[in-house]
Amino acid sequence: MTSLADQVLVVGAGLISPFGGLESTRQAIRAGLKVSGAPLEQLSDTPWADRLAAQEPSPELPPLATWQRLRKYMSAQSLLAAVAVHAALSGLDPVWCGYQASKVGIFAGVGLTSVNPLAGLDVLEASMGPGGVFAHDLLIQKGLSKLNPLWVFETLANMPASIVSILEGIMGESAIYTPFEDGSAQALFEAVEALGRGVVDLAVVVAADVPSHPSNLALLASLGYLVSGETATSSSASLVLARPGEGGCGAFWPKLGNFVLSRGLPGEKAFDPLAPWLGRTVAAAPVMLAALSAAAPELGLVTSIVGCEGHRLSFEVVVN
Amino acid sequence: MRRVAVTGLGQVSALGLGTKAFFDGLAGGRCAISAISRFNPQGLEVSLAGEIPGCQEFKTSLAERHDGLLGLGAKQLFELFSRDHKIAFALAAADEAMEQAGIDSLDSQSLLHLGTSLETFSFDNLIDTSLAADFQSLDRIMVHPSLRQPLDKALRLIEGAYGRAGLALTNCSACAAGLQALGQAFRAIREGRFDLAVAGAFDSMITPLGIGGFQLLGALATGMPMDGRSLCRPFDTYRQGLVLGEGAAVMVLEPLEKALGNGRKMYGEILGYGASLDAYSLSAPDLNGQGAARAMSAALDDAGLAPGDIDHLNAHGTGTILNDPVEASAIRKVFAGHWEKMPVTAVKSMIGHAVAAAGALEAASCLMTLEAGLIPPNVGLKDVASGCELDHVVGAARRFDGRLIMTNSFGFGGQNAVLILGKLGQAERDLNGLS
């Protein structure tokens, strides 16, 4: 299906990859650099030992206590999402391009829950009886005390978008999808739809995923979504979209248009045009692709992506 | 723009399996919150929840019915369901909705869109495994895929049973996920994107980790019922917090014209959808109720209705200290001059808070209210708390001959979703033999 809005104006973009932010990643791709992956020790002697994990991105955070608490208590996905959106919004002048915050929406795609293996290990160790057997009563009596008090917020899949809305003051419509490329492709498409419907004047799109975390990498591999030799890369990206010819947003970026969302045949392989440089960023991939396509049209990226479950999103870059 | 009819409903809730058990229980004011039986909760502050009754038998029966699904035998399916109960709820609710709608397959013109919230980490799966006896390998156990199911697993099961949909989406907007999935599916049908949508939500957090996690947040009601009332007491002076429930509700949505042409039974139609963000707190609602009010107003605008048109409102009504007065205040603000004569109920008092599934279950309750002409009571309410004044339906079901119902869902993290459902007009009811 084609989107309700023919074209959308890109008024902000942010991205976090192992190469750094949007500009660093753009330069790395132009230079032909590729992220390097390494096998994970936790997966040695398993059927997934030959899948690789890229080095985790380490974004610089604003020097505020809120961001430090975010790093300490919330998931890696939430942190990556928040940093990418903050970067995408940093160039907006005036705030929200003069629109009301209640007409700014957030459309998010998030990957598999980023389980913290170390914290989980503490919970599990405390829940094992003398014979090394897990027991519910021990989980309740001992294991729960090892749990992050904000575990629910660390784990709920909507938290990356919720945290972004709170940090940035976004009050309009929202939609959050999970767990692979398919959800993020829908989030981007939905943002364009929302602009076309007029339910938002500005759409913040964000996608974040941490497929390089050991438990996520193992699950992706076991599902056949990450094949032998592929590298899983944690990353995030954000776009701020507006309707062309409206409001006070400057048109500093090319427009994106002709969005088409469809679904291929069963068994169709996932295809991410950025994978040769960045590895598989899974749920982050559709927005990574759109952000880099808009920010770096000279790269000539293929603007079509196919997700694990066959959802295909394609779009065009319209250079001003 | 096309009108959107609901032609199939399926429910799994603490009140039982199926639409009849669900609404008979609600209309009868039966509180299904009871002692947790799935595991021994001793040591937790919480001992009550809204569990699916007869869950083992339910899963056995469902697994046998779908023997061979995705290449899995009944025993393997049962094990899959036992590792993550909520996917079984989703499949059973979809089965009922599809059967009611007389539809046996999905295709490229179909949308499958479900909401859910939290991955289940099935530590149970470690019991009796040889790995569990080896502490040296615990760090490897923690990353083993057998502990988890991705949140789209229910979609794969439903597509395995009914065929591949044109799009298959998992919304994860916490407690607002159910209404968001239904709202987005409603738009997709209204705008002609799809000719059929199977939409709703499923969830369960009644596990030691799920309840333990919510307990750590201080969000749960503790203790026991009092005065014969539910432990979940929305809008009551003595409310303590939410009581977890679980379940699923799935609807089949079709263009009204198409449903009429096919002679389908229709439960009602969806007329409007609105959503908003509080941008306030991860755990508390915007204390001014502005986020909730914006979502309600957006739904009214979307449906082209005025506040005075709404005949009844199903509240999010969690029974938490903060939600209820904030929601009541937002309702009074949006429905100024009308709220005094607009009955409000909160069915979580009977089935608990099914988290992501709550909105879809309550939307289903609204459709049954339209059909049966009965508003279920808020069985946890006796002493209306200061600030929670509304026209509450208490004690027993109230007769209802209105046409338009609004239902609210407000999620952790400040995501709000509102749906407006309507009774079919006389002309459509005559055509369908419903009069």
Side-chain angles (χ1 to χ4, degrees):
Chain A
M1 59 187 179
T2 54
S3 60
L4 291 172
D6 293 336
Q7 292 184 350
V8 288
L9 195 62
V10 180
V11 297
L15 183 151
I16 306 296
S17 83
F19 292 125
L22 180 62
E23 186 54 30
S24 303
T25 303
R26 170 191 196 164
Q27 288 174 10
I29 292 174
R30 285 184 71 169
L33 300 181
K34 298 177 180 181
V35 296
S36 58
L40 290 169
E41 190 276 331
Q42 293 97 325
L43 301 186
S44 61
D45 303 324
T46 74
W48 317 294
D50 60 354
R51 274 64 159 189
L52 309 174
Q55 187 179 356
E56 296 287 311
S58 52
E60 196 171 315
L61 303 184
L64 297 169
T66 305
W67 287 85
Q68 303 311 320
R69 284 198 297 273
L70 179 59
R71 188 197 290 277
K72 184 173 180 183
Y73 291 111
M74 296 296 150
S75 69
Q77 269 184 1
S78 293
L79 186 69
L80 287 172
V83 175
V85 171
H86 199 65
L89 294 174
S90 63
L92 244 58
D93 183 28
V95 175
W96 304 132
C97 303
Y99 291 120
Q100 293 180 340
S102 61
K103 292 287 277 183
V104 181
I106 186 160
F107 303 86
V110 295
L112 294 165
T113 304
S114 57
V115 183
N116 179 343
L118 292 175
L121 195 62
D122 288 345
V123 174
L124 199 55
E125 274 181 341
S127 308
M128 293 293 205
V133 175
F134 169 84
H136 273 146
D137 56 344
L138 287 172
L139 171 64
I140 290 168
Q141 290 158 21
K142 295 181 178 177
L144 290 178
S145 66
K146 306 287 184 186
L147 206 60
N148 170 3
L150 300 179
W151 174 81
V152 170
F153 296 141
E154 189 184 10
T155 314
L156 273 170
N158 71 321
M159 279 299 131
S162 294
I163 287 167
V164 164
S165 75
I166 294 164
L167 284 173
E168 307 293 350
I170 299 170
M171 295 182 171
E173 182 154 317
S174 72
I176 306 170
Y177 301 95
T178 195
F180 306 120
E181 293 95 337
D182 319 286
S184 306
Q186 173 66 22
L188 178 52
F189 190 83
E190 188 61 42
V192 178
E193 294 280 86
L195 287 166
R197 285 186 194 106
V199 295
V200 299
D201 291 329
L202 211 58
V204 177
V205 186
V206 62
D209 200 357
V210 287
S212 60
H213 282 203
S215 59
N216 289 348
L217 197 152
L219 185 53
L220 287 165
S222 72
L223 293 167
Y225 294 160
L226 199 66
V227 299
S228 177
E230 278 194 309
T231 298
T233 306
S234 298
S235 63
S236 63
S238 175
L239 283 169
V240 187
L241 306 175
R243 284 183 293 272
E246 286 187 22
C249 289
F252 304 120
W253 307 79
K255 298 184 187 76
L256 297 177
N258 198 20
F259 284 83
V260 179
L261 186 64
S262 61
R263 198 169 184 203
L265 296 170
E268 185 172 355
K269 278 190 170 179
F271 169 70
D272 175 4
L274 289 170
W277 300 280
L278 294 177
R280 292 285 304 284
T281 57
V282 195
V287 185
M288 296 281 284
L289 180 63
L292 275 165
S293 298
E298 77 279 5
L299 294 175
L301 295 166
V302 172
T303 51
S304 178
I305 186 165
V306 181
C308 295
E309 286 297 332
H311 293 67
R312 177 191 295 274
L313 178 70
S314 61
F315 55 89
E316 291 175 357
V317 179
V318 184
V319 178
N320 297 317
Chain B
M1 293 288 198
R2 304 190 294 186
R3 289 171 67 185
V4 180
V6 180
T7 59
L9 280 182
Q11 279 81 227
V12 176
S13 77
L15 286 163
L17 309 177
T19 301
K20 185 173 187 319
F22 177 63
F23 197 73
D24 283 355
L26 290 179
R30 183 164 78 80
C31 180
I33 293 167
S34 60
I36 293 169
S37 63
R38 191 166 298 152
F39 59 90
N40 181 357
Q42 191 174 5
L44 290 171
E45 295 167 11
V46 172
S47 58
L48 302 178
E51 283 182 325
I52 305 300
C55 197
Q56 291 295 100
E57 296 78 13
F58 154 71
K59 287 182 298 185
T60 301
S61 166
L62 187 68
E64 287 171 353
R65 192 190 324 155
H66 286 284
D67 187 11
L69 178 60
L70 299 181
L72 301 173
K75 186 165 179 283
Q76 292 168 297
L77 278 173
F78 180 83
E79 287 168 1
L80 185 71
F81 297 155
S82 296
R83 273 160 49 194
D84 192 355
H85 303 282
K86 64 178 178 287
I87 61 176
F89 306 155
L91 180 59
D95 282 346
E96 186 190 8
M98 297 282 282
E99 184 180 354
Q100 283 194 6
I103 290 165
D104 56 14
S105 64
L106 301 174
D107 60 24
S108 62
Q109 287 304 304
S110 314
L111 169 68
L112 177 57
H113 193 167
L114 299 181
T116 192
S117 66
L118 189 71
E119 275 185 48
T120 298
F121 296 91
S122 180
F123 290 139
D124 305 32
N125 201 40
L126 297 179
I127 299 171
D128 298 331
T129 65
S130 56
L131 283 173
D134 179 6
F135 269 72
Q136 295 301 313
S137 63
L138 267 185
D139 60 336
R140 292 172 186 228
I141 292 173
M142 267 317 293
V143 304
H144 200 280
S146 64
L147 287 178
R148 308 167 61 184
Q149 301 287 344
L151 285 174
D152 68 342
K153 188 69 181 179
L155 300 181
R156 303 287 85 78
L157 286 172
I158 293 168
E159 289 194 308
Y162 295 102
R164 189 172 166 88
L167 287 181
L169 304 170
T170 303
N171 183 302
C172 58
S173 302
C175 316
L179 281 195
Q180 285 209 357
L182 285 168
Q184 299 286 5
F186 154 67
R187 283 176 174 169
I189 299 290
R190 182 172 67 175
E191 292 165 1
R193 300 293 200 199
F194 291 95
D195 286 334
L196 177 85
V198 176
F202 61 103
D203 214 343
S204 174
M205 290 194 187
I206 305 179
T207 64
L209 204 52
I211 291 182
F214 272 96
Q215 182 179 294
L216 286 170
L217 291 176
L220 299 179
T222 58
M224 300 301 285
M226 63 179 196
D227 306 335
R229 273 185 292 157
S230 170
L231 181 61
C232 178
R233 300 172 196 135
F235 305 108
D236 193 271
T237 302
Y238 300 101
R239 68 193 183 282
Q240 291 188 336
L242 61 88
V243 176
L244 282 175
E246 62 183 2
V250 172
M251 298 184 190
V252 174
L253 311 184
E254 297 183 78
L256 182 72
E257 289 293 321
K258 182 181 165 208
L260 282 170
N262 291 338
R264 297 242 201 277
K265 172 184 168 72
M266 291 182 280
Y267 286 92
E269 61 181 318
I270 301 180
L271 293 158
Y273 166 66
S276 71
L277 289 155
D278 279 359
Y280 179 76
S281 162
L282 291 183
S283 56
D286 166 10
L287 297 179
N288 294 317
Q290 291 173 343
R294 277 198 307 275
M296 287 187 266
S297 296
L300 288 166
D301 289 347
D302 189 47
L305 296 169
D309 294 329
I310 299 298
D311 301 309
H312 160 49
L313 188 145
N314 175 81
H316 183 53
T318 55
T320 57
I321 300 298
L322 289 179
N323 173 82
D324 294 358
V326 167
E327 183 175 11
S329 165
I331 291 169
R332 289 195 299 267
K333 199 178 300 175
V334 172
F335 294 96
H338 177 62
W339 65 266
E340 296 90 338
K341 51 185 182 296
M342 181 180 70
V344 172
T345 193
V347 299
K348 289 184 180 75
S349 59
M350 288 180 270
I351 57 175
H353 191 340
V355 199
L361 281 163
E362 291 166 27
S365 168
C366 293
L367 287 167
M368 294 303 295
T369 294
L370 289 168
E371 178 158 295
L374 284 174
I375 301 173
N378 173 353
V379 301
L381 178 58
K382 189 173 179 186
D383 305 300
V384 176
S386 173
C388 292
E389 297 82 4
L390 295 166
D391 178 14
H392 294 289
V393 179
V394 294
R398 189 187 294 183
R399 295 299 311 174
F400 177 68
D401 60 3
R403 288 195 63 245
L404 298 167
I405 302 179
M406 174 179 280
T407 183
N408 290 344
S409 280
F410 307 139
F412 261 136
Q415 285 165 280
N416 310 304
V418 174
L419 209 60
I420 298 175
L421 302 125
K423 190 172 183 170
L424 292 167
Q426 195 59 47
E428 292 90 1
R429 291 175 65 79
D430 288 345
L431 277 169
N432 273 265
L434 296 173
S435 295

